[in-house]
Amino acid sequence: MYKEVKLSEKIYYIGVNDRRTSLFENMWPLDRGISYNSFLINDDKIAIIDTVEAGFFEKWLDKVRTIIKDRPIDYIIVNHMEPDHSSAIRFITELYPDVKIVGNRKTTPMLEGYYGITKNVTEVKEGDVIELGTTSLSFHPIPMVHWPESMVCFEQSSGILFSTDAFGSYGTLDGGVFDDEMDFEYFRDEMRRYYSNIVGKYGNPVQKALSKLSALDIKLIAPAHGPLIRKNIKDVIARHDRWSKHETEKGVVIAYASMYGNTEVLAEVTARSLAENGIERIRMYDVSKTHISYIISDVFKYRGFIMASPTYSNELHPNMEALVMKLQHMGFKNHLFGVIGSYTWGGVAAKKLLEAGQNLNWELVGTPIEQKYSIKEESFNACIKLGEEMAKRLKE
Ligand code: FEO
């Protein structure tokens, strides 16, 4: 049984919630699950917009059949080929062999490569329209948001934008499906974590997509994950605009690795100095405790970033190394950074953290600190000074 959720007279939400998967893309923690959003237009023609992860196919199919009964599906619109949205397609083609599969020229080889599908594939390009009855869909590729073939489609009569990964969020839809039916505050943070983890590297493509979408009169954004947005459209678009331009806020993330607490003490002294110098938003993370997805999300938000790590086998602490590698892969911009290293013999941590910040063209604040053994008066004073200098730069 399925309690129908309508976006408009002829358009339905038929997505599913995944509360079982622990890690999205087998990487990113799903503390509160994730939804795979899918939509159905029940007009003279029947169109499905995006599907679900294959393990949820039966649940999804029940919803489809509750609405369309024994009518055939005319179109599956493939906005995005990542398997969380596409892996059910091969089952659908077995049940509905005449269904037309709509993608673009970059979708076609992926359909064949992943699922061996070559039959009934229709390629659309920018501005093409498919008429379904009183409803119609126009197509707009948004490459690299999040894959090369990613596209959105726009239903003209209702003003609904089916936006694929763009404007998506972690978190299941727990009864509320639309942003005005729920406590949306939770999703603001999860939306940023989703954006920074999944799409954050592709700021320029996101800017191009936003520019293209600004020509549409959008009344509702229907992403492929998370809440459907109708109350907070301007706010959500503005946030993505800021994020994709790497605009940051006043505040500092301190990420530290510490095996026996000596590096942590250096980080704590620096944090106290920041607070005494007027920085209210300070987020401290032990990289061995907190998954990097949360740290990355806050690094994305705040301008200041202080990294502290011991030297471990002539390298960074492995968890700190994983964080700085990921940040370099993602090319995060516009940060002020500070460096704290510690060691017992042969210190290299400070040098490697400095290189990481320089590789990202971040601006170094203060002088890198390198402490042998435990904190001493000199390193204590250096941490105080780092906090003062970071606070000063953030206030300028
Ligand atoms: Fe939700 Fe890029 O897939």
Side-chain angles (χ1 to χ4, degrees):
M1 298 288 283
Y2 154 58
K3 179 86 174 66
E4 291 176 354
V5 179
K6 283 192 165 189
L7 281 63
S8 71
E9 190 196 341
K10 294 182 177 174
I11 304 180
Y12 297 76
Y13 175 78
I14 54 166
V16 297
N17 287 311
D18 181 354
R19 298 186 181 87
R20 292 185 177 175
T21 301
S22 305
L23 298 172
F24 185 64
E25 296 181 335
N26 218 10
M27 275 184 279
W28 313 106
L30 294 173
D31 300 332
R32 284 185 44 182
I34 193 161
S35 67
Y36 308 119
N37 297 346
S38 172
F39 307 93
L40 186 150
I41 302 182
N42 188 21
D43 207 333
D44 296 343
K45 300 284 186 186
I46 291 174
I48 302 279
I49 300 160
D50 290 323
T51 67
V52 294
E53 200 274 329
F56 294 85
F57 175 67
E58 277 192 43
K59 196 177 272 187
W60 176 87
L61 187 64
D62 276 348
K63 296 186 179 189
V64 172
R65 288 192 163 157
T66 300
I67 301 165
I68 68 170
K69 309 289 191 286
D70 56 2
R71 289 178 66 199
I73 300 170
D74 295 288
Y75 298 104
I76 299 174
I77 312 298
V78 185
N79 276 338
H80 184 22
M81 274 297 295
E82 193 165 3
D84 52 330
H85 308 292
S86 72
S87 53
I89 292 177
R90 59 185 146 177
F91 301 134
I92 302 169
T93 55
E94 283 172 18
L95 286 176
Y96 297 95
D98 296 325
V99 67
K100 292 189 181 66
I101 302 175
V102 179
N104 55 60
R105 65 184 176 82
K106 292 180 185 165
T107 318
T108 306
M110 294 187 186
L111 280 166
E112 181 173 9
Y114 273 111
Y115 309 121
I117 294 174
T118 54
K119 207 177 120 205
N120 293 337
V121 175
T122 300
E123 287 186 2
V124 290
K125 55 187 187 315
E126 176 70 40
D128 282 357
V129 174
I130 289 182
E131 302 286 348
L132 301 169
T134 60
T135 57
S136 62
L137 290 169
S138 63
F139 298 94
H140 311 278
I142 52 165
M144 300 320 297
V145 188
H146 148 232
W147 278 15
E149 86 301 351
S150 292
M151 67 177 185
V152 301
C153 52
F154 184 66
E155 201 292 299
Q156 325 242 357
S157 66
S158 58
I160 299 172
L161 177 73
F162 299 97
S163 66
T164 186
D165 278 351
F167 312 114
S169 173
Y170 296 128
T172 50
L173 300 177
D174 299 342
V177 171
F178 300 92
D179 59 343
D180 53 9
E181 296 180 326
M182 60 179 67
D183 172 12
F184 192 59
E185 281 312 303
Y186 166 76
F187 283 99
R188 289 190 202 280
D189 276 347
E190 282 298 78
M191 189 175 272
R192 190 183 69 253
R193 189 166 71 95
Y194 177 85
Y195 177 85
S196 57
N197 294 176
I198 306 296
V199 193
K201 179 173 183 172
Y202 303 112
N204 288 337
V206 172
Q207 276 291 303
K208 284 184 189 150
L210 290 175
S211 166
K212 181 183 284 191
L213 300 182
S214 66
L216 303 174
D217 184 16
I218 300 168
K219 304 278 193 333
L220 192 156
I221 299 174
H225 299 289
L228 314 194
I229 314 293
R230 60 186 176 193
K231 181 180 173 192
N232 297 284
I233 291 176
K234 276 191 184 158
D235 174 69
V236 163
I237 290 176
R239 282 168 191 266
H240 283 77
D241 185 39
R242 290 198 300 274
W243 295 338
S244 56
K245 288 193 276 199
H246 293 263
E247 289 181 7
T248 47
E249 301 174 22
K250 190 168 91 176
V252 180
V253 175
I254 302 178
Y256 67 88
S258 191
M259 288 183 285
Y260 297 102
N262 291 301
T263 314
E264 183 182 26
V265 170
L266 297 160
E268 295 272 17
V269 170
T270 309
R272 182 62 198 149
S273 174
L274 283 165
E276 286 183 341
N277 285 280
I279 301 301
E280 293 179 349
R281 292 189 288 179
I282 302 165
R283 304 282 182 266
M284 287 195 74
Y285 292 108
D286 181 334
V287 294
S288 299
K289 175 79 186 293
T290 303
H291 189 275
I292 61 171
S293 72
Y294 299 92
I295 306 172
I296 286 169
S297 181
D298 270 345
V299 171
F300 208 82
K301 181 173 183 179
Y302 295 116
R303 184 143 190 249
F305 183 41
I306 294 173
M307 299 173 277
S309 175
T311 296
Y312 187 87
S313 296
N314 214 30
E315 298 288 344
L316 289 172
H317 183 286
N319 292 9
M320 179 59 76
E321 187 170 35
L323 174 63
V324 298
M325 286 304 293
K326 194 70 191 163
L327 290 168
Q328 287 177 86
H329 293 162
M330 290 181 152
F332 282 21
K333 295 178 183 155
N334 294 340
H335 287 294
L336 306 169
F337 79 108
V339 163
I340 302 171
S342 67
Y343 66 103
T344 299
W345 75 98
V348 300
K351 176 172 164 280
K352 286 184 177 282
L353 294 174
L354 177 64
E355 285 170 0
Q358 288 171 334
N359 287 343
L360 284 158
N361 292 318
W362 294 349
E363 180 187 327
L364 177 68
V365 173
T367 307
I369 298 163
E370 180 92 283
Q371 172 62 56
K372 187 171 186 178
Y373 307 133
S374 60
I375 192 165
K376 303 288 183 303
E377 188 173 351
E378 189 179 333
S379 52
F380 176 89
N381 289 333
C383 290
I384 299 284
K385 192 157 182 245
L386 174 58
E388 289 169 356
E389 290 183 4
M390 180 64 82
K392 184 162 173 271
R393 279 293 286 116
L394 286 168
K395 288 187 215 161
E396 283 169 6

